[in-house]
Amino acid sequence: MGFGDARTEWILRLCAIICLVLTVFLMGFDKETTQIFGVDKTASFRSLGALKVIMFVDSIAAAYNILQLAKCWISAHPKPPFQLQTHFHLPLFWLSFFIDQAGAYLTFAANTAGMEAAFVAVRGNQEFQWMKLCNRFHRYCYQAAGAFLCGYAAVLTMLLISFLSAFNLFRHYSPNHFLRLKPNNN
């Protein structure tokens, strides 16, 4: 099992999917109701806009990685219709490279924005008179923290996938000439 082979990519993408789906499920099913000053208040992912963004971005990233699993399976089990020359695959390598990069950065940005919003929920803000929420919604905050851990595990896994995608793309180019294919590629 080498660095650039399809099995390594398949395992990394499966790990990313598991972490992304766990993040979405932990955020989506995280809900707690408590009484504050005699009024029932419910905390859920709908309470903060950044958590909605995490749900959307992580769902799209998981769906993309599921589609990429099919590509990994096809490249690991080549059959005669899929055995094309390298220059036919280059646009797919470039597309995969750009989408992998965008997915890693967007997932990181969404999780970081959600973490910042959650930090305000933990600490409150005296200037804006925002009260602390985690001293009233304990289970909600612990479950959200677990979702953030899964989200950042997914980000790290997607970062490894981006490195692998860059390696798979640029190994077809000559190290001596800028963006020129190696002559012995088939």
Side-chain angles (χ1 to χ4, degrees), residues 90-181:
L90 278 177
L92 294 176
F93 286 132
W94 276 103
L95 183 67
S96 178
F97 170 70
F98 284 128
I99 295 176
D100 286 340
Q101 293 286 319
Y105 288 129
L106 284 174
T107 306
F108 176 73
N111 280 303
T112 303
M115 184 69 83
E116 183 179 351
F119 186 71
V120 171
V122 169
R123 304 261 314 179
N125 192 330
Q126 293 292 336
E127 291 84 26
F128 292 113
Q129 297 179 354
W130 292 341
M131 66 180 203
K132 298 177 186 178
L133 293 178
C134 285
N135 60 351
R136 301 186 193 269
F137 299 101
H138 298 289
R139 187 185 53 80
Y140 172 78
C141 289
Y142 286 125
Q143 195 166 337
F148 285 122
L149 285 175
C150 290
Y152 279 110
V155 167
L156 290 175
T157 307
M158 290 177 69
L159 184 64
L160 290 174
I161 291 169
S162 295
F163 290 150
L164 189 65
S165 179
F167 175 77
N168 285 335
L169 171 66
F170 291 114
R171 72 180 170 155
H172 297 291
Y173 288 97
S174 170
N176 300 327
H177 302 287
F178 182 69
L179 290 182
R180 188 177 298 170
L181 290 174

